[in-house]
Amino acid sequence: MITIWPQYLDKNLSLSQGRKVSKEIAVKEPSLSDIERALKRLGLQYSIQKERAYPGKWYEKSGRILVEWDKTKLELLKEVSLKIKEIRN
């Protein structure tokens, strides 16, 4: 299981604030529903935990998604981010 926090894909955040993908791939303010739509289109198994807070912002419940994935976390984040961009355009 791989955890995806919306912060990992957020273009507005710096690497030290939690972004894990490059700015070219990142999207503006991704929501759990954006990530969920991307995962559905990619045909991946996942579960959503809406009441979880990103450790860097423990006071803000942004939620997270746990994904069944057999490759690296970075590969998954890139796939999801690119799919969100495709859906938004």
Side-chain angles (χ1 to χ4, degrees):
M1 291 291 250
I2 292 180
T3 302
I4 299 180
W5 296 95
Q7 288 84 349
Y8 287 174
L9 309 173
D10 196 336
K11 190 175 214 154
N12 298 328
L13 299 179
S14 67
L15 292 172
S16 63
Q17 291 173 315
R19 181 173 45 84
K20 299 262 188 232
V21 296
S22 69
K23 283 223 182 217
E24 293 80 43
I25 295 173
V27 293
K28 203 171 195 175
E29 299 173 6
S31 66
L32 282 181
S33 61
D34 288 333
I35 298 168
E36 182 181 14
R37 261 194 307 270
L39 292 170
K40 278 183 182 173
R41 292 215 182 160
L42 291 167
L44 299 173
Q45 296 289 325
Y46 62 90
S47 65
I48 298 176
Q49 297 178 333
K50 291 184 180 184
E51 292 302 310
R52 294 301 189 132
Y54 182 66
K57 287 192 173 182
W58 52 268
Y59 47 86
E60 188 179 288
K61 292 195 181 348
S62 61
R64 70 179 182 183
I65 298 182
L66 303 174
V67 184
E68 289 286 338
W69 182 256
D70 54 359
K71 297 177 188 163
T72 68
K73 182 177 203 162
L74 189 55
E75 287 176 303
L76 173 62
L77 294 176
K78 285 180 181 177
E79 292 272 335
V80 171
S81 197
L82 291 170
K83 189 57 77 173
I84 292 171
K85 279 186 162 196
E86 181 186 304
I87 292 168
R88 285 184 176 178
N89 290 335

